[in-house]
Amino acid sequence: MRLSPYTSVVGAIQEEKRLDVIANNLANAATPGYRKVGTRFENFMELQTYTQSAQGPVHRTGNPMDVAINGEGYFRIQTDRGERYTRAGNLTVDAQGRLVTPQGWPILGQGGIIQVQGSDVRIGAEGQVYDGENLVDTLDVVAFPPGVRLVHDERNLLMPADPNTFAVPARSFTLEQGALEGANFSAVQEMTSMIETLRIFEACQKVMKISYEEDRQIINQLGKS
């Protein structure tokens, strides 16, 4: 039995999956705090994805509602599906006076949902949140034990792949107000990966076409004999 038709089909399917992952990464190249999804073959037949945790570049914005994490950790976010985690610190204050993400999900402090009354919000290096001169709470920056696999829930929210995994307080971090962390990958390198993947995908398609033509010729010859 010839293996080339089967291996080329499997290869094309896996490379198409890889293209989808790369395209999604590129779509989030400008998303604050976005964590790149990488790919690897667990075996020849199965493409696995994983979330890269490396630090992204930090850029000054001058916006006092922007906060970047330098070092380990994630902000805790309350959603209608439970707690989620993000490195994106582009915060805002909603109509109820809560510190929230751009999607409206409350960011959690050590005392729960953070409420402020005024517009003079200051955030200290260790996460202290001041409403004017009043300390109202401390941002609850958390981390996960080594080996914990995080997956994307929404575009910029993460959750543990194992629902029985729990976050712990982060230790090695500082917060920088007026700055944002960018996506943790190079768009140029990702475009290069997309081109390489496209070439492999096209090669698989070519092998499939050649195999089809060979089979067709064999069938025609058998029909004449």
Side-chain angles (χ1 to χ4, degrees):
M1 181 180 68
R2 295 186 304 141
L3 293 177
S4 57
Y6 303 97
T7 56
S8 58
V9 169
V10 171
I13 292 172
Q14 301 307 318
E15 294 305 321
E16 187 174 22
K17 291 179 181 178
R18 193 198 298 266
L19 281 172
D20 289 342
V21 171
I22 295 173
N24 185 66
N25 285 335
L26 286 170
N28 286 284
T31 301
Y34 179 78
R35 284 311 181 244
K36 173 185 174 179
V37 178
T39 59
R40 61 183 171 223
F41 280 100
E42 196 70 17
N43 51 58
F44 177 74
M45 302 291 291
E46 187 176 2
L47 187 73
Q48 297 286 339
T49 61
Y50 62 96
T51 304
Q52 295 188 357
S53 60
Q55 170 97 35
V58 173
H59 306 287
R60 292 290 303 173
T61 66
N63 183 346
M65 297 306 297
D66 290 340
V67 187
I69 301 175
N70 287 297
E72 70 170 359
Y74 299 87
F75 297 115
R76 284 175 60 219
I77 306 296
Q78 179 177 294
T79 76
D80 57 2
R81 300 176 306 282
E83 286 189 9
R84 298 295 185 264
Y85 307 90
T86 187
R87 294 277 296 193
N90 48 333
L91 309 179
T92 187
V93 179
D94 69 5
Q96 302 174 53
R98 306 177 303 175
L99 278 186
V100 297
T101 69
Q103 294 75 34
W105 301 124
I107 187 167
L108 297 176
Q110 294 177 0
I113 294 174
I114 300 174
Q115 300 272 166
V116 294
Q117 301 298 321
S119 58
D120 182 19
V121 177
R122 293 183 294 112
I123 298 175
E126 297 180 352
Q128 308 95 324
V129 179
Y130 295 90
D131 185 4
E133 297 300 319
N134 299 319
L135 175 63
V136 295
D137 206 337
T138 299
L139 288 170
D140 196 13
V141 180
V142 298
F144 292 91
V148 171
R149 180 170 171 258
L150 297 179
V151 296
H152 284 267
D153 180 28
E154 290 184 1
R155 185 175 75 167
N156 214 20
L157 296 180
L158 300 168
M159 59 184 288
D162 180 354
N164 295 317
T165 299
F166 299 98
V168 297
R171 301 299 180 190
S172 303
F173 76 92
T174 59
L175 299 187
E176 184 177 351
Q177 188 175 18
L180 282 177
E181 180 185 1
N184 66 341
F185 66 92
S186 164
V188 173
Q189 291 180 354
E190 206 69 0
M191 282 295 297
T192 301
S193 296
M194 174 172 278
I195 293 170
E196 292 174 350
T197 304
L198 275 170
R199 287 174 178 167
I200 297 172
F201 179 74
E202 290 169 354
C204 290
Q205 286 185 316
K206 185 175 181 180
V207 172
M208 290 164 60
K209 184 177 180 180
I210 292 172
S211 297
Y212 170 78
E213 290 295 333
E214 289 177 346
D215 288 345
R216 187 177 63 86
Q217 291 175 11
I218 292 170
I219 290 171
N220 287 339
Q221 289 174 2
L222 289 173
K224 294 175 182 179
S225 60

